[in-house]
Amino acid sequence: MKVNITETVLRDAQQSLIATRLPFADFEGILETLDNAGYYSLECWGGATFDSCLRFLDEDPWERLRKIKAKCPKTPLQMLLRGQNILGYKHYPDDVVRLFVRKAAENGMDIFRIFDALNDFRNIEVAVDEVLKCGKHVQGCICYATSPVHTLEKYAAMGKELEAMGVQSICIKDMAGIMGPQEAYDLIKALKSSTSLPVFLHTHATTGLGPITYVKAIEAGCDGIDCAISQFSGGTAQPATETLNYALNQLGYETGLDAALLKDINDFFAPIKKKFLDDGLLNPYVLGTKADILTYQVPGGMLSNLLKQLKDMGQEDKLDEVLAEVPNVRKDLGYPPLVTPLAQMVGTQATNNVLLGKYKNITKEVKAYFKGEYGRAPGEVNPEIAERVLEGTEPVTCRFADTLEPAFEKTKAELGKTARCDEDVLSYIAFPQVAEKFFAAREEKESNTVNYTIEKKED
Ligand code: CO
C-alpha cells in the first residue's frame, strides 16, 4: 500500500519553529533535490508565509511562489488557505477570495488545502468552488479538536458535507498534535466509511503522539501524512520525514521517497537550523516534547507566539498561567478549534485575562466573534459575555461574507500605479499597511539600482 508524504519544511515546520522567518535565499539551493525526492507534495505557501514574506523578509510572496514552481516543476506544490479569511485574519468578500485562488493557481499552486477555523463550511465553499473552476486539486479540511461537542458522528457528517461540496480529498488537521492513536484510528475509519475520498492526516510532534498516531491512522486506511525533514522536525513542527519513511518501509508500506535524497535535504538544512538557533529565533523550548499540551490543547505556532509575546513584555514567567487560562476562554467561546485566527484570538484573550483580569479587556476580534462575524461557534458561547458584547444588538447568522461589498476593483482603482499587477492589489487587500511599506521599499530599492546603473554608465 502507498502512503503519500507531504514535506512541510517550507511552510508549517518553519512556521511552527522559527515564526515563518525562512527566507527564499536560504532554501533556494535545495529546491531541485526536494522536487526529486518523491514527495506527494511540497507544502510551501499560504498559512503565515505570505504575511511573513511582506512583513519581515522583504519578499514578494507571489514571486516566491513562481520561483519555487520554476525549480520544482514535478512535485505538486501545496498551500494552506483559510477559506474566506484567505491568509489574513478577517473575512474578505467573494470577489477577493476568487481572484486570490485564481492568481495562486496561475502562479503555480497545485493543491489547495482549505479550512475554516470553526469548521463552518459556508466559509470555504467559495474558495472550494474557485479551485475546482481552476482545475486544481482541492482538499477540504476538518479542524480537529476535542470537546463535549466534537463527536465522531459530527466528524463523519463533516466529511460527507465536504464530499458534497466537491472536494477531492479530506485532511484532518490536528493543529495541536493532541490526537491520540485510537482517536486517529476511529476517525479515519469513520471518514473512510462516510465518504469515498482519500483522507490525509496533519499533525504536530508537540505532545510526542505524532508518529504513533500516524501509524495507527495508516492502519485505518489513511492515505497521506505530513512530515518535516528531521532538522526542522519535532517539537511544535511535524514528525520527521526520514523516521516515518524508515518505519513505514519496515511495516511494508511504500512511500516513494528516496532515502539518499532525504539525507541530502537534511544535511542542507543543518547549518540553516544552526543559524536560527544562534540568533535566537529558534528557541530550543519549542523543540521539546510537551505532554502538558494534552491538557491545554495549544497548537505549536500558538505556543511559540505566546512565548514570544510574553517574552517581549517581560512576562515570560506567566506562560503556565496563560496556558491554563486557554481552556477557560475556549469554553466561553463554545469550544472553537485552536487554529488561526482562533488560536491567536483565544491566546491574546487568555493573556489579557491573566495580565489584566478576567475579561477586563475584551479584544476587538473576540467581540467580532461573539457578534457572529467569524461564523457559527461549534458549541454554546458564554451567554454573559455575549450579552455584554452584543449590547442588545442581534448577532450575524448568515454567511458573513454575504454582508460584504466586492472590494477588488475599488481597491485597484484606489491604489493606482502603486500596484503593478493584480497580485499586488491582493497583497494590499490582505495586509494593507505591510504591503504599502513593502511597495515603498521596492520603489526605493529599484530607484537606487537605476541610479547605480546610470553612474556606472557615466564612468
Ligand atoms: Co499545522
Side-chain angles (χ1 to χ4, degrees):
M1 201 189 112
K2 172 90 193 271
V3 175
N4 297 298
I5 307 230
T6 295
E7 174 61 54
T8 66
V9 64
L10 303 182
R11 207 286 296 175
D12 201 356
Q14 62 122 342
Q15 180 172 327
S16 299
L17 295 183
I18 54 168
T20 338
R21 299 293 205 279
L22 191 65
F24 177 79
D26 276 16
F27 64 81
E28 182 178 13
I30 201 64
L31 284 171
E32 277 156 9
T33 314
L34 279 165
D35 195 32
N36 287 323
Y39 289 109
Y40 167 75
S41 62
L42 299 172
E43 195 200 32
C44 61
W45 211 64
T49 61
F50 196 94
D51 186 7
S52 180
C53 275
L54 291 168
R55 194 183 297 264
F56 303 114
L57 301 173
D58 196 23
E59 276 183 49
D60 182 343
W62 301 97
E63 193 183 319
R64 173 184 282 211
L65 174 56
R66 290 191 293 272
K67 283 162 139 181
I68 296 174
K69 188 68 179 178
K71 300 237 170 181
C72 302
K74 291 186 294 203
T75 312
L77 302 186
Q78 185 172 315
M79 77 170 291
L80 184 66
L81 187 71
R82 288 196 280 275
Q84 211 70 30
N85 292 163
I86 315 177
L87 305 168
Y89 306 102
K90 59 169 194 177
H91 281 217
Y92 295 91
D94 292 342
D95 66 324
V96 172
V97 174
R98 286 193 185 275
L99 192 66
F100 193 95
V101 166
R102 216 175 314 145
K103 285 291 164 192
E106 277 173 29
N107 282 284
M109 192 45 60
D110 300 292
I111 300 175
F112 292 73
R113 179 179 280 177
I114 308 180
F115 77 97
D116 175 67
L118 295 172
N119 290 324
D120 182 344
F121 296 147
R122 296 175 305 171
N123 294 331
I124 69 167
E125 64 192 22
V126 169
V128 167
D129 182 64
E130 193 60 35
V131 177
L132 292 173
K133 283 192 175 129
C134 293
K136 301 293 180 182
H137 183 107
V138 57
Q139 187 172 83
C141 263
I142 297 172
C143 294
Y144 180 76
T146 53
S147 84
V149 300
H150 289 89
T151 60
L152 212 52
E153 293 70 33
K154 270 232 175 109
Y155 284 123
M158 285 180 201
K160 270 206 161 102
E161 207 184 319
L162 286 173
E163 189 171 34
M165 285 172 71
V167 307
Q168 289 128 323
S169 60
I170 292 174
C171 170
I172 305 164
K173 192 171 158 53
D174 174 24
M175 308 73 64
I178 51 166
M179 188 189 290
Q182 192 60 47
E183 289 164 313
Y185 188 89
D186 295 342
L187 191 47
I188 298 282
K189 281 275 182 207
L191 285 167
K192 281 294 208 177
S193 61
S194 76
T195 77
S196 57
L197 296 174
V199 180
F200 290 71
L201 180 58
H202 170 87
T203 193
H204 289 254
T206 324
T207 64
L209 283 174
I212 326 167
T213 298
Y214 273 160
V215 169
K216 281 304 276 186
I218 289 161
E219 282 175 16
C222 178
D223 297 274
I225 56 174
D226 286 5
C227 297
I229 203 73
S230 56
Q231 287 289 351
F232 273 78
S233 74
T236 53
Q238 273 67 49
T241 310
E242 303 97 303
T243 312
L244 263 299
N245 185 47
Y246 183 91
L248 291 173
N249 285 336
Q250 191 175 90
L251 290 167
Y253 296 99
E254 259 173 66
T255 61
L257 289 173
D258 182 327
L261 292 186
L262 293 185
K263 183 176 182 335
D264 292 347
I265 296 164
N266 197 50
D267 290 348
F268 179 89
F269 279 103
I272 296 173
K273 180 183 186 179
K274 188 178 179 304
K275 181 186 82 175
F276 282 106
L277 273 169
D278 290 347
D279 73 12
L281 246 167
L282 176 50
N283 185 335
Y285 177 80
V286 301
L287 290 168
T289 302
K290 285 159 208 68
D292 276 355
I293 300 294
L294 294 171
T295 318
Y296 301 139
Q297 300 201 359
V298 180
M302 178 175 173
L303 188 64
S304 52
N305 279 338
L306 277 179
L307 187 67
K308 195 176 179 306
Q309 251 176 41
L310 289 168
K311 218 174 170 179
D312 289 348
M313 293 187 285
Q315 304 269 9
E316 215 180 340
D317 57 320
K318 293 282 197 319
L319 183 67
D320 282 342
E321 249 177 282
V322 171
L323 285 173
E325 175 63 4
V326 165
N328 301 331
V329 174
R330 198 173 153 244
K331 181 165 184 266
D332 291 333
L333 267 58
Y335 301 106
L338 292 179
V339 61
T340 305
L342 266 305
Q344 288 78 355
M345 280 161 58
V346 170
T348 309
Q349 191 60 54
T351 307
N352 282 358
N353 286 1
V354 168
L355 299 182
L356 309 167
K358 230 164 157 87
Y359 298 105
K360 282 266 153 48
N361 182 328
I362 303 180
T363 66
K364 196 172 95 223
E365 290 77 14
V366 169
K367 283 182 182 162
Y369 177 89
F370 276 98
K371 288 176 183 163
E373 295 178 14
Y374 286 87
R376 271 190 295 256
E380 291 285 319
V381 299
N382 182 321
E384 280 165 38
I385 304 168
E387 210 183 287
R388 241 181 83 191
V389 168
L390 287 166
E391 295 174 314
T393 60
E394 285 299 313
V396 179
T397 51
C398 66
R399 190 182 73 108
F400 187 66
D402 287 336
T403 68
L404 304 172
E405 292 292 325
F408 183 79
E409 290 303 334
K410 196 170 152 253
T411 313
K412 188 175 177 173
E414 278 166 17
L415 281 174
K417 280 193 185 134
T418 310
R420 298 176 181 175
C421 53
D422 288 355
E423 283 85 343
D424 277 355
V425 181
L426 291 167
S427 300
Y428 179 85
I429 292 174
F431 301 102
Q433 290 95 348
V434 178
E436 216 163 62
K437 260 196 199 153
F438 173 80
F439 297 150
R442 181 173 67 182
E443 286 291 334
E444 205 187 303
K445 219 186 328 178
E446 285 177 5
S447 66
N448 289 343
T449 321
V450 172
N451 288 342
Y452 176 73
T453 330
I454 294 167
E455 277 165 27
K456 268 229 149 174
K457 260 189 196 161
E458 284 167 354
D459 260 359

